[in-house]
Amino acid sequence: MGAVLIFASQFGLAQERVPLIPKPVKAIKQSSVFNLDKHTAINAGIGNSEKAVYYLQTEVLKHKLISLSISPQQTASTIKFTIVTNGIKNNGYQLLMSENLIEIKAANEEALFLGTVSLLQLIRQTPIVNQKIALNCWNIADEAYFGWRGFMLDESRHFFGKKKVKEILDWMAFYKLNKFHWHLTDQPGWRIEIKAYPRLTLVGGIGNHTDPAAPAQYYTQEDIKEIIRYAADRFIEVIPEIDMPGHATAANLAYPEFSGGGSPKYPEFTFNPGKEETYQYLTNILKEVDALFPSQMIHLGADEVHFGNQNWNTDASVQKLMKDKKFNDLKEVENYFIERMADSLKMMNNEVLGWDEVVESKLSTKNTTVFWWRHDKPEVLKKALEKGFKVVLCPRLPLYFDFVQDSTHRIGRKWAGAFVPLESVYSFPSSEINDLPKEKNQIRGIQANLWTESVTTVQQMDYLMFPRIAALAESAWTAPSEKEFSGFQQRLKSHLKLYASAGLYYFNPFYPKNSAEFLNPAQRENQLPDSEDLTNQEQQKK
């Protein structure tokens, strides 16, 4: 925070509301105006700034139809990028604006990019008049509160494709979110090509949550590489999830020899932990996944295994494993399985990610991050921190975006009548979490999850994501002590106009009974039947 304090003393402490989401640490309005037009030059400076510069050029052209050129010289209207070696933290930036010069300063290109995003938000919210954008000048000093600022998309239940994923990545970049957790395998469909096992997609890719006979849909490895490159240009890491040992139905349809069976409600739900061949099979899959994703993190799922592990009670190979290892119950079998697969990831130099059920295992706390999702089990979060695990906070309430935003909404889920309004997202983490003792430094950040059982169209997805993604961004970026919901609401109003101009089917929290006001009649009628509150077991499902 040293650079921020220096900045504050240099420019004074008076602060007018800046129209940025997430809210910066410091933003001081200046009296001058910077006129951006086709004559404005970009000075890339000395250092690694190519991605940030190119992003600025392409986004201004895309949204304002203004072409900005790169010039080594400073002109009467210049945007300058500067890499500095001291005075600014690695994740911080400064945006300094005056009548003739805008300068973005940071210690590295990722932070330069974050400063560029702030400038682009100002540009996109300012109209063009006579081929010029008259930008009110601000001096901003900023840095992120959490390092992990994530969003998860489930594409097993319903598949949306590259175009929509790239659009999500664009909005994530716009709001400084930096982790895209991609849930690619589950019961309804296997969505990632594995060359060693082609039936995973050719057979396992058939169907979705609402239509088990839908034609196979999945991402080829070339698709995956394309999306990873697209995300990397926006400084977003893509983290794959290959769910195991449960949620394995689609894979087991393709390769039944590795199935551990299931239960009457969840048939063929598990991989078989009693067969040595299962571990080699899954390790081979993870090797291909590791070769595709540079993040060096793979999420193994490891949740809700009890839904469909009843067959383990009678499977000869599982029973032999239990006898040989002297396991007392199926939970010990589950832990053994995940520990074996974690060893495979360790050999690939990958960090292990898992849902909060892995807290009961003996996984290495040094190499494991736990995703706390069961909001009704705070004791699991406490135990994870006490054992020394790193944690990403993503509890159902309030960070499951498949839960409805308003009590009157019909598409989406509820938890015993509870739902996820905008303010609950904004107010997270709660004071109980913020007041955690020394374990607080183990919390890597927060993430919203969008499960897609109830999401069949991109319009429904947008309606669940927007504007809650903006509240998520501010909760992840801005220190809790600096957050103020009423100020966020005022800044959000101009962002709703951006959603409308982008053609998004978004929820308007200011006019909840008329939130589809920008849609044509056909779109307004695109609704599903009322969804009921989840019953006991369904409440556990993601």
Side-chain angles (χ1 to χ4, degrees):
M1 298 289 288
V4 172
L5 293 175
I6 293 171
F7 179 95
S9 64
Q10 182 178 354
F11 294 101
L13 294 176
Q15 188 169 2
E16 184 176 330
R17 184 175 290 133
V18 64
L20 297 181
I21 297 175
K23 176 185 175 183
V25 175
K26 286 291 178 184
I28 313 298
K29 191 172 184 181
Q30 307 300 295
S31 58
S32 52
V33 171
F34 180 95
N35 287 307
L36 187 149
D37 59 21
K38 65 181 181 180
H39 301 295
T40 299
I42 296 176
N43 186 325
I46 299 174
N48 190 13
S49 61
E50 290 86 355
K51 284 186 180 180
V53 168
Y54 181 66
Y55 187 73
L56 177 66
Q57 287 180 297
T58 56
E59 290 295 296
V60 171
L61 180 61
K62 175 182 176 181
H63 296 287
K64 296 297 186 179
L65 300 179
I66 294 176
S67 299
L68 300 178
S69 299
I70 297 175
S71 170
Q73 305 299 322
Q74 186 169 318
T75 66
S77 175
T78 300
I79 300 172
K80 183 178 181 180
F81 290 78
T82 305
I83 296 285
V84 297
T85 56
N86 53 57
I88 301 179
K89 286 189 176 181
N90 281 340
N91 69 346
Y93 70 88
Q94 290 183 5
L95 174 60
L96 309 175
M97 303 175 66
S98 63
E99 182 178 355
N100 302 116
L101 177 66
I102 294 175
E103 186 172 16
I104 304 171
K105 300 170 68 175
N108 55 63
E109 189 177 16
E110 180 175 0
L112 273 184
F113 178 85
L114 296 171
T116 303
V117 169
S118 291
L119 175 59
L120 280 167
Q121 282 201 17
L122 296 176
I123 292 170
R124 288 185 60 183
Q125 293 178 82
T126 307
I128 297 180
V129 179
N130 296 325
Q131 304 302 309
K132 290 186 178 182
I133 303 173
L135 293 172
N136 290 322
C137 290
W138 294 84
N139 283 341
I140 295 170
D142 202 8
E143 61 189 50
Y145 184 75
F146 282 125
W148 189 292
R149 305 181 299 278
F151 179 80
M152 189 223 75
L153 176 64
D154 163 25
E155 285 205 90
S156 174
R157 272 64 178 224
H158 289 102
F159 184 87
F160 297 95
K162 285 192 296 184
K163 180 180 178 182
K164 189 59 184 177
V165 168
K166 288 180 177 180
E167 183 181 302
I168 290 170
L169 292 170
D170 283 338
W171 284 107
M172 287 181 65
F174 187 74
Y175 284 125
K176 301 186 177 79
L177 299 173
N178 65 350
K179 308 292 183 185
F180 179 59
H181 175 173
W182 209 0
H183 188 81
L184 290 165
T185 75
D186 212 302
Q187 294 160 265
W190 185 282
R191 309 301 183 196
I192 175 173
E193 178 190 23
I194 302 297
K195 292 186 182 295
Y197 303 100
R199 288 173 60 84
L200 285 171
T201 47
L202 297 178
V203 175
I206 295 173
N208 57 47
H209 185 74
T210 52
D211 180 6
Q217 290 183 295
Y218 58 90
Y219 292 101
T220 67
Q221 293 196 0
E222 290 306 310
D223 292 334
I224 296 284
K225 293 174 187 176
E226 179 183 336
I227 289 171
I228 289 171
R229 287 192 298 268
Y230 193 86
D233 287 341
R234 288 149 182 77
F235 293 91
I236 297 170
E237 276 194 309
V238 183
I239 297 108
E241 181 178 352
I242 309 298
D243 216 337
M244 59 181 75
H247 295 278
T249 310
N252 288 336
L253 289 174
Y255 293 94
E257 60 267 37
F258 304 112
S259 175
S263 65
K265 188 170 183 180
Y266 300 98
E268 305 304 324
F269 187 74
T270 65
F271 294 114
N272 194 317
K275 292 182 177 181
E276 197 62 28
E277 312 92 271
T278 303
Y279 299 100
Q280 188 59 58
Y281 163 66
L282 293 173
T283 297
N284 292 341
I285 290 171
L286 292 177
K287 283 181 178 178
E288 288 200 31
V289 174
D290 170 53
L292 287 170
F293 291 85
S295 62
Q296 294 302 111
M297 294 181 280
I298 297 177
H299 201 297
L300 295 180
D303 61 312
E304 302 174 330
V305 181
H306 67 281
F307 279 12
N309 65 357
Q310 285 87 329
N311 193 63
W312 292 1
N313 288 310
T314 56
D315 183 272
S317 58
V318 176
Q319 290 301 303
K320 183 178 186 303
L321 173 67
M322 293 184 71
K323 182 179 179 181
D324 292 346
K325 299 291 184 181
K326 296 182 173 55
F327 292 153
N328 296 311
D329 55 34
L330 297 186
K331 183 62 179 176
E332 290 187 80
V333 176
E334 178 186 329
N335 289 339
Y336 170 80
F337 173 96
I338 206 67
E339 289 159 13
R340 285 280 305 269
M341 296 314 303
D343 285 343
S344 292
L345 285 188
K346 184 177 180 181
M347 295 296 291
M348 301 173 208
N349 197 34
N350 268 255
E351 182 181 354
V352 179
L353 311 183
W355 301 111
D356 62 38
E357 285 90 336
V358 303
V359 170
E360 300 298 327
S361 71
K362 297 177 183 177
L363 290 177
S364 163
T365 57
K366 182 180 179 181
N367 194 51
T368 306
T369 293
V370 171
F371 286 63
W372 178 61
W373 68 277
R374 292 180 289 179
H375 74 279
D376 55 329
K377 293 185 180 293
E379 69 276 8
V380 175
L381 171 61
K382 187 173 186 293
K383 186 171 184 178
L385 295 172
E386 288 174 347
K387 290 183 74 171
F389 284 109
K390 299 182 291 293
V391 176
V392 171
L393 304 172
C394 52
R396 294 187 201 90
L397 298 179
L399 293 183
Y400 271 26
F401 280 9
D402 50 318
F403 282 63
V404 298
Q405 301 194 60
D406 185 87
S407 61
T408 63
H409 290 176
R410 299 183 294 170
I411 300 171
R413 303 194 302 169
K414 296 179 183 178
W415 175 275
F419 53 97
V420 179
L422 184 69
E423 187 170 4
S424 69
V425 178
Y426 186 84
S427 300
F428 186 83
S430 62
S431 58
E432 309 92 79
I433 293 172
N434 288 329
D435 293 340
L436 286 168
K438 61 181 178 62
E439 293 93 345
K440 183 177 178 181
N441 61 7
Q442 294 166 230
I443 296 177
R444 299 183 69 175
I446 68 175
Q447 172 176 297
N449 299 331
L450 181 56
W451 304 97
T452 60
E453 289 96 332
S454 60
V455 184
T456 61
T457 70
V458 294
Q459 290 86 0
Q460 293 165 6
M461 179 186 289
D462 292 344
Y463 200 76
L464 291 165
M465 283 182 62
F466 297 91
R468 289 188 294 193
I469 191 172
L472 168 73
E474 191 144 319
S475 288
W477 182 274
T478 305
S481 61
E482 297 299 317
K483 291 197 296 184
E484 179 203 4
F485 186 62
S486 61
F488 169 77
Q489 286 178 302
Q490 290 302 313
R491 285 177 283 122
L492 180 62
K493 289 178 179 179
S494 61
H495 285 238
L496 297 186
K497 297 177 183 178
L498 299 179
Y499 303 160
S501 64
L504 296 176
Y505 183 177
Y506 69 94
F507 170 60
N508 188 334
F510 302 103
Y511 301 98
K513 292 184 179 180
N514 189 30
S515 61
E517 60 186 324
F518 294 102
L519 302 173
N520 62 47
Q523 287 176 307
R524 292 192 186 101
E525 293 170 3
N526 185 15
Q527 301 289 325
L528 291 177
D530 290 352
S531 61
E532 298 178 357
D533 287 356
L534 303 173
T535 56
N536 292 334
Q537 193 174 46
E538 289 298 308
Q539 286 175 340
Q540 293 295 326
K541 287 185 66 182
K542 293 201 298 295

